[in-house]
Amino acid sequence: MDVQLYNTLTRQKDRLEPIDPANVRMYACGPTVYDRAHIGNARPIIVYDLLFRLLRHVYGEDAVTYARNITDVDDKINARAADEGVAIGDLTQRTIERLHDDLSHLGVLPPTIEPRATAHIDEMRTMIETLVAREHAYVAEDHVLFQVATLETYGRLSNRSTDEMEAGARVDVAPYKRDPMDFVLWKPSKDGEPSWPSPAGIKAPGRPGWHIECSAMAGKHLGDVFDIHAGGIDLVFPHHENELAQSCAAHGTPEMASIWLHNGFLRVEGATMSKSAGNFITIHDMVASDMFGGRTWNGKVLQLAMLGVHYRQPIDWTVERLNQARATLMEFADLTANVSNDGAPYEEVIAALADDLNTPRALSILHGLAKSARRGSAEKAEALAATLRFMGLRETETRADYRGDAAAADVDADMVEAKIAERLQARAQRDFATSDRIRDELLALGVQLKDGKNPETGAPMTTWERAE
């Protein structure tokens, strides 16, 4: 089966042609570990996990290497450790442990390799010295900088002119730079910051710049040129543009990766997520507290909500979207409660995912399987169960597992769901008096109902939340 992916470098969907079909190699930029991973971090993790699963299905489980790095040396890490009065290593280790705990709630596979930047300083120094020797980099005031003018193809990934890149980079025009666009490969460490012996004959200890970290880690574990490089759209420039430049210059290759993938931005209830706006939400907040929507959310509800929008499009993270995903997974759990999920995933879903991870189309097919299962098709129920398992959306969960805990302990969620089912039946029979009575009874208990339609099937659907 052919896999087609939208390539940021070529600005079109390209057929994936692995350099070595026995070892398909993918790299994704992972989080910087100074704080809990937020839901914006969760999007690429969920999206590229699905791609990892697809590639394993197409090429074989042992034929795919997926590296997702951890950045554990960074200015933000240094600042947070100083604010908390803790050792930098203690902060990063604690944050990595929390990251792994948070991801355990999502139905994602661990990457094949999870390299940490601080474990690859030797590779960074070697790459930097190679760039200096090839006159693509230079030493100035204990810094090593990449000289952008030495690479004619710089800017091709982001498709920006030099003027645009200068404005977008917000560069610090330091006096030691030969050109404002030159970027840091290595810099001196301040007192109290992590430091290592410097490359290129620099006597003072220092630390790497951000961009060189990913180039060194990807090069070590995946080779000079590999198949797929992935990350958020915000990383195209300058991070990925700089990665591409320094890797090609150091290795003497025309490419770093055959295909570059980028997922779209995430907003929360129509607004940019930020701590100052009060809408900064971590994965931990979603699964362990009731701060968003008045309940906790099963991690697989987060997954389905993310996958409901094509990965290249922006997504608005709303309580309504989560409620729809929760209701869908509850229905799927009911339909697959007594069937095996050990079979092969439904090939029409695989075909949809092979077309640039077309998850809206894949979910539409799942709803079609559910419709057939409701009509009594055991074959389609088994296909639904196996496909949900393949996508990481279900193992043995029941309706109750997806429900989550409401903010108030006095709300009997099972009772509410039963009342909703009774009310939907009444509405189907046009018994609006009974429908209104149930609505009012639940409202008196502090439960607000919201009627709508399943966006995929058009079937009536009711979700609920605690009334304000």
Side-chain angles (χ1 to χ4, degrees):
M1 173 180 288
D2 285 349
V3 175
Q4 302 274 340
L5 297 169
Y6 185 85
N7 190 350
T8 304
L9 188 63
T10 62
R11 293 161 190 84
Q12 64 182 17
K13 280 198 286 189
D14 288 341
R15 177 176 176 266
L16 175 63
E17 299 183 31
I19 298 166
D20 178 4
N23 184 20
V24 183
R25 290 161 288 161
M26 177 172 72
Y27 183 90
C29 288
T32 300
V33 287
Y34 67 98
D35 202 352
R36 288 272 191 183
H38 55 71
I39 54 173
N41 300 137
R43 190 177 194 190
I45 289 172
I46 289 171
V47 166
Y48 301 127
D49 171 76
L50 186 59
L51 177 58
F52 182 34
R53 292 169 182 271
L54 174 66
L55 296 176
R56 282 159 49 104
H57 178 80
V58 173
Y59 295 99
E61 290 189 3
D62 296 330
V64 183
T65 302
Y66 173 27
R68 186 184 69 221
N69 81 289
I70 286 177
T71 297
D72 59 350
V73 53
D74 182 84
D75 291 340
K76 292 179 180 178
I77 295 173
N78 298 339
R80 178 60 58 87
D83 288 345
E84 295 187 8
V86 299
I88 290 172
D90 291 343
L91 171 67
T92 56
Q93 184 58 37
R94 180 189 73 197
T95 308
I96 291 169
E97 291 171 0
R98 288 178 173 177
L99 172 68
H100 291 158
D101 179 64
D102 291 341
L103 296 185
S104 72
H105 294 281
L106 306 179
V108 297
L109 300 170
T112 315
I113 306 165
E114 192 178 51
R116 300 186 187 187
T118 54
H120 295 76
I121 301 297
D122 287 345
E123 289 79 9
M124 296 175 205
R125 279 197 298 259
T126 298
M127 179 173 276
I128 290 169
E129 289 176 345
T130 299
L131 289 168
V132 171
R134 293 184 174 181
E135 299 185 344
H136 287 292
Y138 59 93
V139 178
E141 297 186 19
D142 290 339
H143 291 72
V144 185
L145 298 107
F146 186 88
Q147 190 167 4
V148 168
T150 65
L151 201 70
E152 293 182 358
T153 56
Y154 188 81
R156 59 182 169 139
L157 180 64
S158 55
N159 196 28
R160 298 186 181 194
S161 67
T162 300
D163 289 342
E164 289 174 315
M165 288 187 289
E166 284 185 0
R170 297 182 179 89
V171 291
D172 175 17
V173 186
Y176 49 78
K177 285 188 176 184
R178 295 179 182 174
D179 185 277
M181 282 301 299
D182 294 349
F183 58 88
V184 171
L185 302 173
W186 190 269
K187 56 187 173 182
S189 295
K190 299 176 184 176
D191 290 342
E193 292 182 342
S195 64
W196 293 268
S198 295
I202 298 173
K203 293 181 179 180
R207 58 192 176 96
W210 176 31
H211 312 303
I212 196 69
E213 295 175 10
C214 284
S215 285
M217 288 184 279
K220 177 177 181 178
H221 296 288
L222 302 182
D224 294 354
V225 183
F226 49 94
D227 300 299
I228 299 169
H229 194 308
I233 192 70
D234 56 312
L235 299 180
V236 175
F237 185 85
H239 184 50
H240 287 171
E241 190 74 67
N242 291 351
E243 271 192 74
L244 174 61
Q246 65 201 8
S247 291
C248 291
H251 300 313
T253 59
E255 305 293 348
M256 178 185 183
S258 302
I259 293 179
W260 291 77
L261 297 183
H262 293 95
N263 61 274
F265 287 112
L266 180 143
R267 293 167 65 85
V268 176
E269 299 286 2
T272 301
M273 184 173 64
S274 69
K275 290 186 177 180
S276 61
N279 65 353
F280 184 87
I281 302 168
T282 68
I283 300 171
H284 181 74
D285 294 331
M286 297 292 299
V287 302
S289 78
D290 58 20
M291 69 171 292
F292 194 72
R295 65 166 61 248
T296 60
W297 301 91
N298 183 290
K300 289 178 177 144
V301 172
L302 274 63
Q303 279 182 279
L304 185 62
M306 288 283 189
L307 298 178
V309 175
H310 191 270
Y311 78 94
R312 288 194 285 115
Q313 300 302 314
I315 184 172
D316 193 13
W317 195 247
T318 65
V319 173
E320 181 180 6
R321 180 178 300 282
L322 287 162
N323 274 324
Q324 290 174 348
R326 184 170 63 95
T328 295
L329 286 173
M330 286 179 171
E331 179 189 16
F332 287 172
D334 288 343
L335 294 170
T336 58
N338 299 310
V339 300
S340 170
N341 62 2
D342 293 333
Y346 199 56
E347 281 304 311
E348 287 186 31
V349 171
I350 297 297
L353 297 178
D355 181 16
D356 195 31
L357 290 182
N358 191 340
T359 52
R361 172 61 182 155
L363 296 179
S364 177
I365 296 168
L366 288 179
H367 282 290
L369 292 175
K371 184 176 181 179
S372 297
R374 281 194 298 272
R375 292 174 176 173
S377 172
E379 178 185 0
K380 294 301 172 63
E382 289 179 358
L384 176 62
T387 308
L388 290 171
R389 183 182 184 188
F390 161 75
M391 296 178 69
L393 293 170
R394 181 168 183 264
E395 287 293 335
T396 58
E397 289 86 355
T398 66
R399 164 180 285 268
D401 293 320
Y402 292 122
R403 188 182 65 219
D405 295 325
D410 59 347
V411 174
D412 184 338
D414 288 332
M415 177 275 293
V416 173
E417 295 292 343
K419 287 287 187 181
I420 288 174
E422 181 183 347
R423 182 170 175 270
L424 285 171
Q425 183 176 7
R427 285 165 62 85
Q429 297 170 350
R430 304 187 67 79
D431 182 359
F432 297 114
T434 299
S435 171
D436 291 346
R437 175 181 56 79
I438 294 172
R439 179 200 62 201
D440 293 341
E441 287 176 357
L442 291 174
L443 185 59
L445 295 173
V447 174
Q448 179 75 51
L449 300 184
K450 184 171 183 178
D451 295 319
K453 291 185 177 181
N454 188 301
E456 300 291 345
T457 66
M461 182 177 72
T462 298
T463 59
W464 66 278
E465 59 188 29
R466 288 289 299 174
E468 296 293 335

